[in-house]
Amino acid sequence: QSVLTQPPSASGTPGQRVTISCSGSSSNIGSNNVYWYQQLPGTAPKLLIYRNAQRPSGVPDRFSGSKSGTSASLAISGLRSEDEADYYCAAWDDSLSGRVFGGGTKLTVL
Amino acid sequence: QVQLQQWGAGLLKPSETLSLTCAVYGGSFSGYYWNWIRQPPGKALEWIGEINDSGSTNQNPSLKSRVTISVDTSKNQFSLRLRSVTAADTAVYYCARSSGLDYWGQGTLVTVSS
């Protein structure tokens, strides 16, 4: 059971916009930055969004992040087949004094 | 360009000690926390713990009693030891750099089996 809650799956067709939610609590998302990672099959996760809404260099602007209260969202616009991957949210948890992850969302491009 | 390269034994028997090392190439070693994260087959990521160049650590409370994370600043390396492993510790283990886990090692599959 992960501390952060994500839907196990999401899907969309090419060109569509999809969003993935991440729900937490006041001790993690509510008081700390949220990070998003993309994990392609058989590879290490890749940082997609940092500090809630910032994109590292090289990440397309089709990917965007937002945070409100104790929840966060990752939006992917102009969906492409290569976006099919697992997506994880993460945040620091003050109560646990550690980093916590969501359970991951498997995105399927139909 | 920052690169993390990790290595360690991939097959252990129950009750043995898992030992992994991660070397950091490029960039600064100081000023960051260096993390260990694992992922059981088909499951989510789980944070194990982190250490900085001064040796200060933060660890997952659920694993803390079995985990030792150490650092060797002379080699820009940090290591993970997990004692008394069981089948539940079978996972791909990754090292990664904080800030935001922006750089990751290639991962090491550790299998615990008798």
Side-chain angles (χ1 to χ4, degrees):
Chain A
Q1 189 83 359
S2 299
V3 174
L4 305 181
T5 301
Q6 298 180 235
S9 64
S11 63
T13 56
Q16 268 191 330
R17 182 178 187 270
V18 297
T19 61
I20 297 171
S21 62
C22 177
S23 177
S25 68
S26 58
S27 64
N28 42 65
I29 293 178
S31 52
N32 294 291
N33 291 318
V34 177
Y35 298 79
W36 290 92
Y37 304 90
Q38 178 192 59
Q39 187 177 33
L40 299 171
T43 69
K46 168 190 171 184
L47 179 64
L48 209 56
I49 297 289
Y50 67 98
R51 295 179 193 167
N52 307 317
Q54 307 303 309
R55 280 187 311 276
S57 173
V59 173
D61 59 6
R62 302 186 297 105
F63 295 89
S64 62
S66 64
K67 182 182 110 170
S68 179
T70 59
S71 294
S73 292
L74 172 71
I76 310 171
S77 60
L79 199 61
R80 304 174 70 162
S81 58
E82 57 259 41
D83 298 332
E84 191 161 284
D86 293 327
Y87 293 84
Y88 293 91
C89 59
W92 186 263
D93 190 294
D94 294 331
S95 296
L96 297 173
S97 293
R99 200 177 301 273
V100 292
F101 286 96
T105 298
K106 183 175 183 61
L107 175 63
T108 301
V109 181
L110 302 169
Chain B
Q1 178 73 355
V2 177
Q3 292 187 16
L4 279 66
Q5 185 172 351
Q6 56 182 105
W7 64 88
L11 181 61
L12 297 173
K13 291 181 167 52
S15 81
E16 291 185 334
T17 296
L18 177 157
S19 182
L20 298 173
T21 298
C22 183
V24 180
Y25 301 100
S28 173
F29 190 76
S30 61
Y32 295 96
Y33 272 86
W34 301 93
N35 292 251
W36 289 101
I37 295 136
R38 70 180 184 179
Q39 185 173 36
K43 296 188 177 181
L45 300 166
E46 179 182 30
W47 182 76
I48 299 170
E50 62 181 10
I51 190 167
N52 67 6
D53 57 303
S54 300
S56 177
T57 61
N58 294 298
Q59 294 178 24
N60 186 327
S62 68
L63 296 170
K64 192 172 184 177
S65 63
R66 296 193 292 133
V67 166
T68 299
I69 299 176
S70 58
V71 66
D72 185 342
T73 55
S74 67
K75 297 180 180 179
N76 284 4
Q77 295 177 0
F78 62 106
S79 298
L80 170 70
R81 287 174 60 85
L82 177 65
R83 296 175 291 279
S84 304
V85 297
T86 70
D89 295 310
T90 294
V92 176
Y93 287 74
Y94 294 101
C95 56
R97 186 182 83 166
S98 294
S99 168
L101 305 180
D102 54 354
Y103 290 96
W104 293 66
Q106 77 275 20
T108 300
L109 174 61
V110 177
T111 302
V112 181
S113 175
S114 56

